[in-house]
Amino acid sequence: MDDGGADEQLRLPVADTRARDLVAAVQALVSHDRVVSEEELLLATASELLTDGVATTSRVVGFVNDVWCGTEISTVRIVQALQTGAAAGLVTQLDVLGETGWALTSTGRVGADGASRWAEQVFARTRRELQTLAKGSFRELTDADADLFVRILAQALSDSIREAYSAYVGDVEMLADGTLKPRTFDRRRAMESIQDAQVEETSREFLRPRLQQP
C-alpha cells in the first residue's frame, strides 16, 4: 500500500464516519506486543457510539454490525463484551424506557475520547500529505479536494477491511508514527471502491497507488 517515501504515511487514512469509528476502535487497543481479542474489539467499537451518550442494546448491536458490516456479529457476543466492560468499570448498564441500555463511565470515556481525537488528527495529517504529493505529481488540491480524496481512500480501505473481520482481530500493526496498518486487506475490493467514486479518472489514477499492498 505504499510507493515509498511520503506514501508511508498513507497506510490508513480515516474519515469522520464509519471508517473513523472503525479505526479509532482499533487504535484504542493495538500495540506491537499485544493481540486484540474479539471481545475487546467489540467493546472498543461500542464505545465509539457511547461517546455520544446512552444507547440501548439494540442500538449498540446495530452500530457494531454497521461498522463491521458483513460480519453478522450476534447480540449475545456483543452483550458479553459489554458485560466484560462493565466488570472492568468501563461501561455501566442502566434502563432506557424498559430496555437495557449502556453508558461509558468516566474511565471508559477517557479511552474512547482519546481514540477519536487520534483518528481526527490522522485525517487532518493525511489531507495535508495528499496536498503535498499532488502538488508534485498531479495538481494542486484545495482543502475541499483533499478532504474528498481522504474520504474516498478511507471508504476504500474500510470497505475492504470490514468484509474481513479477522484482519483486525490480532492482525493489525501499529507503526512507530502511530499509523495503523492492516497486515491483510482485500486490495481488489479497495480498488473497486475507488473505481466507484464519483470523481474524474485522473483523480482515480492519483489515488490508486496510495492503496498499494504493503
Side-chain angles (χ1 to χ4, degrees):
M1 176 169 153
D2 64 85
D3 293 334
D7 284 4
E8 287 291 320
Q9 302 295 322
L10 298 175
R11 292 189 187 277
L12 198 55
V14 294
D16 57 356
T17 54
R18 289 185 300 178
R20 191 219 67 178
D21 294 327
L22 181 152
V23 176
V26 177
Q27 191 274 339
L29 297 167
V30 172
S31 67
H32 285 296
D33 58 357
R34 188 166 180 273
V35 173
V36 180
S37 72
E38 180 190 62
E39 196 169 74
E40 290 174 304
L41 186 53
L42 293 179
L43 177 59
T45 307
S47 294
E48 287 301 304
L49 171 65
L50 297 178
T51 57
D52 294 330
V54 177
T56 62
T57 297
S58 57
R59 188 177 173 211
V60 172
V61 170
F63 176 82
V64 171
N65 276 285
D66 192 34
V67 170
W68 298 102
C69 63
T71 57
E72 299 182 357
I73 304 166
S74 71
T75 298
V76 170
R77 286 155 62 193
I78 295 171
V79 169
Q80 285 176 341
L82 289 166
Q83 290 172 338
T84 297
L90 300 175
V91 299
T92 185
Q93 183 177 325
L94 62 166
D95 183 80
V96 181
L97 299 176
E99 184 177 350
T100 300
W102 304 89
L104 289 174
T105 63
S106 56
T107 301
R109 184 169 293 280
V110 169
D113 287 347
S116 294
R117 284 195 298 272
W118 174 88
E120 296 296 349
Q121 290 169 1
V122 174
F123 177 36
R125 183 183 69 188
T126 303
R127 183 177 65 188
R128 293 192 299 270
E129 288 162 353
L130 280 175
Q131 289 175 312
T132 299
L133 287 169
K135 188 177 295 185
S137 61
F138 178 46
R139 62 176 172 81
E140 189 161 331
L141 298 181
T142 65
D143 286 348
D145 289 334
D147 182 76
L148 172 63
F149 282 8
V150 170
R151 291 171 189 276
I152 291 171
L153 288 172
Q155 187 63 55
L157 279 174
S158 62
D159 282 354
S160 67
I161 295 168
R162 284 200 308 262
E163 292 178 0
Y165 183 68
S166 61
Y168 264 156
V169 181
D171 200 17
V172 178
E173 177 182 355
M174 179 176 280
L175 305 183
D177 65 355
T179 307
L180 290 174
K181 181 183 73 172
R183 295 193 181 97
T184 58
F185 76 103
D186 187 343
R187 185 175 181 276
R188 178 191 59 78
R189 180 66 187 89
M191 290 297 128
E192 288 176 353
S193 184
I194 287 182
Q195 186 61 37
D196 291 340
Q198 299 301 306
V199 292
E200 297 178 354
E201 179 57 29
T202 53
S203 295
R204 296 191 192 100
E205 290 174 356
F206 170 72
L207 291 171
R208 287 187 187 107
R210 312 284 80 81
L211 289 176
Q212 294 299 315
Q213 185 81 357

